[in-house]
Amino acid sequence: MTMDKSFEAGAAEARISAEWERTNAFAAGANARRSETFTVMIPPPNVTGSLHIGHALNNTLQDILVRWHRMRGFDTLWQPGQDHAGIATQMVVERKLAAEGKPPRRDWDRKDFVDEIWKWKQESGGTIINQLKRLGASCDWSRNAFTMSGAPGAPAGEDGNFHDAVIRVFVDLYNKGIIYRGKRLVNWDPHFETAISDLEVENREVPGHMWHFKYPLAGGETYEYVERDADGNVTLRETRDYISIATTRPETMLGDGAVAVHPSDARYAPIIGKLVEIPVGPKEHRRLIPIIADEYPDPDFGSGAVKITGAHDFNDYGVAMRNGIPLYTLMDTKAQMRTDGLSYAESAAIATRAAAGEDVGDVSAVNLVPEDLRGLDRLEARKRVIEQVTSEGLAVTYLHKEIEPETGAEHMERRPVIDSKPIMQPFGDRSGVVIEPMLTDQWFVDTRRIVEPALEAVRSGRTEILPEQHKKVYFSWLENIEPWTISRQLWWGHQIPVWYDEEGNQYCAATEAEAQAMAPGKALTRDPDVLDTWFSSGLWPIGTLGWPEPTEELKKYFPTDVLVTGFDIIFFWVARMMMMQLEVVGDVPFRTVYVHGLVRDEKGAKMSKSKGNVIDPLTLVDAYGADALRFTLTSMAAMGRDPKLGPKHVEVNRNFVTKIWNATRFAQMNGVRGGGARPQPAHTVNRWIIGETARILMATDEALASYRFNDAASGLFAFVWGKVCDWYVEFAKPLFDGDHADETRATMGWVLDQCFAMLHPIMPFVTEELWALTADRDRMLVHGDWPELGADLIDADADRQMNWVIALIEGVRSARAQMGVPAGARLDLVVTEADDAARAALAANGPLIERLARVNAPVDGAAGKGMIAVSVQGASFALPIGDVIDVSAETARLQKAVQKSGKDAEGLQKRLSNPKFVENAEAEVIDETREKLAALEDDIARLEAALAQLAAM
């Protein structure tokens, strides 16, 4: 079939993708010729998601591994699917209903609202799947899974047993006592009124304030407050009747249970154990709380004293739990000050008894919000608290000098100490509102009961994490693991399979009928919460393979082989899958975890919408084609490094696609056809390129086996563009008309076939197209045979000779370019010295050298004035250029280039010698700077050598 002048990526990709799908080319087991399996589980994108550049990298790397194994005949499965994304999906549908003028969620019947979500999912939830297909992802789409498949109320087409698997695991872990209900501090989203995971919290730096307040000692007691410098000298000594604290959240003072100081802080040693008064609330019910000693406060930060509000701060929670301090909840689910519970007077009385050491039991009904603040938003309450404390004269103050502009008179007045400074504040990544640490009843997994096998699996090597550095993250999180909050106050998700009777007794069962059988004659109410999506996705490897049924897929494809994932979910997802699979089925979910970097912009900055530097992968696909984007991402995927991507990088690899296309078109126009057996050529050029093909195949196999994706890509780029499309095509041109024409056509056809095959995992579309256009094939390249070539195909004599010829041509070309020799000028090639091997190579390849180096036939002679030297192994040459260049002009040009490079190198040297740069810059930036400096130093050395040659002329 005659090839078009250029590869039209858009049209070809759509046609090829449709053909792959029509023939079910990606089905599990397709093209299997051996018993070994290879399984990859896709990290399931959110059903609300659309393709971003991180997805593009992640799925490209997975696809490379899958296509490589499939072509090698492995029984391959790349399992696709989507996560139901509880909070994100519920938000999308709530916004959709609002846009349609429909009532808010809480005005709906729960079932009707969930039906709306299912409807949305079926209409709009497949966006990212179609985008992954555009990228060329070769998942078995017929097996596309969903973490809510088979859930009650799921419409037709959403059948499956993933829901059953999730519920079964919950019931099993509940019965083992591993899952339990309890009250703990969690991240609370006041907009969605649900607990959320750490992954759904976005910490942002925002302008903030810190207020300083006095907590008076009870009964008017005083103590001597002494500050000392580092040498122990007294810098301040005064009598105080208060202890000073600082806070960024004054409204939480209402729920303080203690003030903590460090045990070693001598300033406060006299008052540890004494009571202080919270400086807010009705005077007649002013509460007292104890001063306690704890390791948490930093004596060198602020006053060294910390207010402890255990129900509204994660650090305070730890202090409170260690010291038996009651946890007083101040806010409701909307982050408004509570209106329920006991009156302030009753609550303050109970809290006062607790502060005195009395066991007051359950304090959930205690509401320490004064009546005048109840029902206020937390920020409005903050203003009122500040006003009340300040009006009582209990704000820490400083003397401020005021000068009247008109008279110049000075006035001194006291003003409250308020520090204005940036603070880190947690926001819900979906809602955008400030997250409130909240003490609520939630369902938890007692992770300490199931963590050890997950640690041991990585320690022993049953599961390998690459790069090595990410093992530290894994171990650090698991070794310090906290109970896992698995309940969410949402409607979309797997509803907790627990029912309650009127006395609050729990009945955990897979179905309501089973729960009712456990409580005959009792009216039951189901827990309204749903499970965290990380709980269900933690079962992804077995759930997608049909567990708990003993399916053939489960027997064949589990444990899976490789998980390719980003570093940001090692603990959120990877570690939880390890714990869950080991607990449920007693085996690791995957044998290798490959962790790739974060795609950054071309300057190395993290991509964000606020910076305006986000790159849409589909825009790049539209502009340059999927193959160019895939190859770019692969070439940048160095282990342990973050890729830096810009459109210019993709454009370079679009040119690579064009280069392959043009070389193949040239071959076709010269009678070259593919599909033939490996030839047995006689000519050195053909024997050489066969050996080079074997060499790059072995290097590619080794790189992919070691997850060095960038090495595989760069090696193939150098071979296909440099050795095949440039050198071999040029070497072959004269051979098409001589005695070696047939073998050259056969060799070129075979070599191009190997190129298509080796490039296919990275660049599937253009290679599939070229495969079809260059021969009558009995199958598509997606099911083609991966080459099997060994070192025995490397012909040492041909290899040595042709690499010598290439070195000579490159040496002459480099010298010509360095000295500014006009491109059209043909130079004499003077042989000043040559051993037997060099002379044999010259004799055998003279016409090639003459044509490609633009030199005349070599002649023996001596170097003389007006000549420059070129050396290769075993030989030295001289090129007479005195009559074809302006020596003084070239000298000036090179001197200017040396000065510029020298100035640039000096700047880089100063940067690297700056201790602050070396200490603060990322390792990647330092390495890049060193590489740039080394390249400049090499450049300067070449320029100076050229100047020396010009001077000698």
Side-chain angles (χ1 to χ4, degrees):
M1 186 185 296
T2 304
M3 292 175 60
D4 293 334
K5 287 187 177 180
S6 61
F7 176 60
E8 298 297 332
E13 288 169 3
R15 172 170 37 80
I16 292 167
S17 186
E19 186 61 14
W20 284 334
E21 194 151 356
R22 186 190 69 80
T23 58
N24 207 17
F26 309 147
N31 202 45
R33 302 184 302 277
R34 52 206 288 181
S35 60
E36 298 104 312
T37 61
F38 181 75
T39 313
V40 174
M41 291 281 159
I42 197 172
N46 285 354
V47 69
T48 59
S50 58
L51 192 72
H52 59 61
I53 201 67
H55 288 132
L57 171 64
N58 180 269
N59 286 278
T60 293
L61 300 184
Q62 290 176 80
D63 197 39
I64 289 168
L65 294 172
V66 168
R67 288 180 183 268
W68 179 50
H69 280 84
R70 188 186 289 121
M71 291 178 75
R72 291 158 67 208
F74 282 73
D75 184 338
T76 302
L77 167 63
W78 184 6
Q79 174 64 53
Q82 297 159 290
D83 189 275
H84 65 276
I87 197 167
T89 305
Q90 187 163 303
M91 179 184 72
V92 166
V93 174
E94 286 194 67
R95 287 179 177 172
K96 173 179 175 289
L97 294 174
E100 295 170 352
K102 295 179 179 177
R105 170 173 64 98
R106 296 192 182 279
D107 290 349
W108 288 66
D109 175 80
R110 179 170 181 155
K111 179 184 181 303
D112 292 342
F113 181 80
V114 170
D115 287 345
E116 287 290 319
I117 296 181
W118 277 115
K119 189 188 304 180
W120 172 87
K121 191 265 180 185
Q122 295 198 304
E123 292 172 356
S124 307
T127 298
I128 197 167
I129 298 298
N130 294 324
Q131 292 173 334
L132 286 170
K133 290 179 181 179
R134 282 200 63 192
L135 190 67
S138 65
C139 301
D140 183 352
W141 299 112
S142 68
R143 291 182 51 83
N144 192 47
F146 185 50
T147 52
M148 282 285 285
S149 67
E158 300 289 353
D159 49 347
N161 71 337
F162 205 101
H163 173 77
D164 295 339
V166 172
I167 297 303
R168 173 165 172 169
V169 169
F170 183 99
V171 173
D172 181 55
L173 297 184
Y174 177 94
N175 289 334
K176 291 177 179 176
I178 294 171
I179 285 179
Y180 64 94
R181 186 167 173 80
K183 192 183 290 288
R184 285 179 63 91
L185 209 60
V186 298
N187 295 307
W188 186 264
D189 189 312
H191 175 78
F192 291 112
E193 297 183 65
T194 181
I196 61 173
S197 73
D198 291 341
L199 188 63
E200 294 160 320
V201 175
E202 183 180 296
N203 289 297
R204 303 180 203 160
E205 186 175 84
V206 297
H209 298 88
M210 182 171 281
W211 290 267
H212 298 257
F213 297 129
K214 298 176 180 179
Y215 281 43
L217 268 68
E221 284 196 59
T222 61
Y223 68 106
E224 187 176 51
Y225 177 83
V226 180
E227 288 186 359
R228 300 177 186 274
D229 62 18
D231 297 322
N233 301 311
V234 175
T235 58
L236 174 66
R237 185 190 299 273
E238 65 182 18
T239 299
R240 286 187 176 180
D241 61 357
Y242 68 89
I243 188 168
S244 171
I245 63 94
T247 179
T248 59
R249 305 176 67 211
E251 70 279 9
T252 64
M253 294 165 61
L254 299 166
D256 286 354
V259 172
V261 297
H262 197 276
S264 67
D265 196 334
R267 293 172 296 176
Y268 303 118
I271 56 173
I272 291 174
K274 293 187 179 296
L275 299 176
V276 291
E277 184 181 279
I278 295 178
V280 68
K283 231 4 183 162
E284 65 273 20
H285 303 298
R286 195 59 61 88
R287 281 202 304 121
L288 300 177
I289 57 175
I291 297 173
I292 63 171
D294 191 89
E295 297 289 331
Y296 168 62
D298 180 354
D300 298 322
F301 181 77
S303 70
V306 180
K307 59 186 283 300
I308 302 302
T309 319
H312 290 279
D313 182 278
F314 285 102
N315 290 319
D316 292 4
Y317 178 79
V319 177
M321 296 305 290
R322 285 194 295 274
N323 293 277
I325 305 298
L327 307 174
Y328 302 117
T329 301
L330 299 173
M331 300 174 204
D332 62 18
T333 58
K334 294 181 180 179
Q336 295 176 343
M337 309 310 283
R338 286 175 57 191
T339 58
D340 66 326
L342 301 173
S343 69
Y344 183 78
E346 293 173 295
S347 299
I350 294 171
T352 298
R353 290 179 5 234
E358 183 180 332
D359 182 1
V360 295
D362 183 10
V363 295
S364 57
V366 171
N367 184 349
L368 292 172
V369 180
E371 271 78 7
D372 64 313
L373 302 180
R374 294 189 178 191
L376 295 180
D377 177 80
R378 53 187 163 167
L379 297 183
E380 179 59 29
R382 176 178 301 175
K383 293 178 186 176
R384 300 276 191 93
V385 167
I386 294 169
E387 290 170 1
Q388 291 176 13
V389 176
T390 305
S391 68
E392 288 196 28
L394 292 174
V396 176
T397 59
Y398 69 99
L399 275 175
H400 174 74
K401 182 165 67 175
E402 193 76 49
I403 301 176
E404 288 187 11
E406 295 179 0
T407 65
E410 294 184 0
H411 298 283
M412 302 297 289
E413 66 175 2
R414 287 205 162 270
R415 291 188 175 181
V417 176
I418 304 173
D419 301 328
S420 296
K421 63 177 186 178
I423 60 172
M424 295 303 294
Q425 198 159 48
F427 290 81
D429 66 346
R430 303 288 180 185
S431 66
V433 303
V434 176
I435 295 306
E436 185 67 42
M438 191 75 79
L439 188 67
T440 60
D441 288 307
Q442 301 289 342
W443 287 95
F444 296 91
V445 173
D446 186 357
T447 40
R448 292 196 177 278
R449 296 266 304 273
I450 61 174
V451 70
E452 191 54 40
L455 286 164
E456 182 55 32
V458 175
R459 289 192 193 113
S460 66
R462 286 173 68 194
T463 293
E464 184 71 22
I465 297 178
L466 300 171
E468 184 82 15
Q469 69 209 50
H470 292 294
K471 288 183 182 178
K472 295 179 182 176
V473 177
Y474 179 87
F475 286 134
S476 174
W477 191 70
L478 288 182
E479 287 167 353
N480 298 283
I481 199 164
E482 294 288 334
W484 170 15
T485 315
I486 58 170
S487 47
R488 297 290 180 266
Q489 289 64 52
L490 303 171
W491 285 358
W492 174 240
H494 301 279
Q495 193 170 351
I496 301 285
V498 174
W499 284 259
Y500 305 93
D501 62 21
E502 292 178 352
E503 288 78 39
N505 298 308
Q506 299 173 3
Y507 304 93
C508 181
T511 65
E512 184 172 4
E514 291 177 46
Q516 193 66 69
M518 297 163 66
K522 294 187 177 182
L524 298 182
T525 303
R526 187 168 187 174
D527 193 305
D529 291 355
V530 300
L531 286 165
D532 172 21
T533 52
W534 295 107
F535 185 88
S536 49
S537 63
L539 299 170
W540 188 246
I542 56 173
T544 53
L545 296 174
W547 187 91
E549 300 302 320
T551 64
E552 288 302 313
E553 290 86 354
L554 191 62
K555 295 175 186 175
K556 183 187 292 188
Y557 297 117
F558 186 86
T560 70
D561 291 275
V562 184
L563 176 72
V564 179
T565 188
F567 68 92
D568 52 340
I569 57 173
I570 292 174
F571 40 86
F572 290 111
W573 189 48
V574 176
R576 286 169 176 170
M577 277 193 288
M578 289 286 283
M579 289 191 294
M580 296 284 273
Q581 259 67 200
L582 282 161
E583 173 61 29
V584 174
V585 295
D587 209 341
V588 294
F590 19 71
R591 297 183 178 91
T592 301
V593 178
Y594 174 79
V595 183
H596 60 73
L598 173 73
V599 184
R600 298 177 178 270
D601 72 11
E602 53 197 326
K603 295 179 181 178
K606 187 175 180 179
M607 294 185 192
S608 72
K609 290 180 181 178
S610 61
K611 291 180 181 177
N613 63 346
V614 172
I615 296 176
D616 182 349
L618 293 179
T619 299
L620 296 176
V621 170
D622 290 338
Y624 305 110
D627 291 319
L629 175 60
R630 288 170 59 112
F631 195 89
T632 303
L633 292 168
T634 308
S635 66
M636 294 177 167
M639 192 177 291
R641 300 284 290 270
D642 288 345
K644 297 176 184 177
L645 180 69
K648 64 182 181 182
H649 302 115
V650 188
E651 186 176 4
V652 167
N653 289 309
R654 192 266 309 274
N655 297 340
F656 182 35
V657 172
T658 301
K659 186 79 172 179
I660 302 163
W661 185 270
N662 289 342
T664 306
R665 188 165 177 266
F666 164 81
Q668 191 180 76
M669 290 189 296
N670 282 276
V672 173
R673 295 281 293 167
R678 176 167 56 83
Q680 305 291 328
H683 196 281
T684 306
V685 165
N686 293 324
R687 288 185 286 117
W688 164 76
I689 196 62
I690 286 176
E692 289 296 308
T693 305
R695 180 178 278 120
I696 190 59
L697 174 76
M698 291 186 290
T700 301
D701 280 335
E702 196 274 330
L704 292 180
S706 303
Y707 304 96
R708 290 184 289 103
F709 296 98
N710 62 310
D711 289 344
S714 59
L716 286 167
F717 184 93
F719 170 72
V720 175
W721 187 311
K723 292 188 176 174
V724 176
C725 297
D726 278 351
W727 289 113
Y728 182 55
V729 165
E730 291 299 326
F731 289 160
K733 285 177 180 177
L735 301 182
F736 284 142
D737 297 325
D739 295 340
H740 298 283
D742 288 343
E743 75 166 53
T744 300
R745 289 189 176 90
T747 302
M748 185 172 286
W750 178 84
V751 168
L752 287 172
D753 277 358
Q754 312 315 301
C755 290
F756 304 153
M758 287 186 284
L759 283 170
H760 181 75
I762 307 176
M763 308 171 81
F765 291 108
V766 69
T767 53
E768 190 73 82
E769 184 83 335
L770 290 171
W771 182 259
L773 291 172
T774 51
D776 295 324
R777 315 282 189 177
D778 59 359
R779 51 187 166 161
M780 297 179 78
L781 182 55
V782 66
H783 290 165
D785 293 335
W786 185 256
E788 293 184 9
L789 311 172
D792 58 302
L793 295 181
I794 300 174
D795 186 309
D797 292 335
D799 191 50
R800 184 167 46 250
Q801 189 175 116
M802 293 315 301
N803 285 327
W804 187 91
V805 169
I806 289 171
L808 174 56
I809 294 170
E810 286 180 336
V812 172
R813 285 176 172 176
S814 176
R816 291 174 63 117
Q818 195 81 277
M819 298 299 181
V821 174
R826 185 173 286 277
L827 303 177
D828 289 337
L829 183 65
V830 179
V831 184
T832 60
E833 183 183 356
D835 60 19
D836 291 344
R839 290 191 178 280
L842 273 175
N845 300 282
L848 289 178
I849 296 168
E850 294 160 30
R851 186 166 63 86
L852 297 178
R854 295 198 65 77
V855 294
N856 296 318
V859 293
D860 288 341
K865 199 165 181 61
M867 295 185 181
I868 57 171
V870 174
S871 297
V872 292
Q873 186 175 0
S876 297
F877 301 88
L879 299 173
I881 63 169
D883 294 336
V884 294
I885 68 166
D886 182 332
V887 174
S888 61
E890 286 305 314
T891 299
R893 181 180 67 82
L894 292 178
Q895 285 174 337
K896 187 175 180 181
V898 167
Q899 288 174 350
K900 183 181 183 307
S901 294
K903 187 176 180 181
D904 292 343
E906 185 180 353
L908 294 176
Q909 285 170 335
K910 284 182 179 177
R911 190 181 303 175
L912 288 169
S913 61
N914 183 344
K916 288 186 177 178
F917 172 75
V918 176
E919 288 171 13
N920 300 324
E922 295 181 8
E924 190 174 317
V925 174
I926 296 172
D927 291 345
E928 192 173 289
T929 305
R930 286 176 176 151
E931 289 167 8
K932 287 180 180 177
L933 178 60
L936 281 170
E937 289 172 343
D938 288 345
D939 191 39
I940 291 168
R942 286 194 299 271
L943 292 168
E944 289 178 339
L947 281 169
Q949 293 215 52
L950 285 173
M953 291 174 62

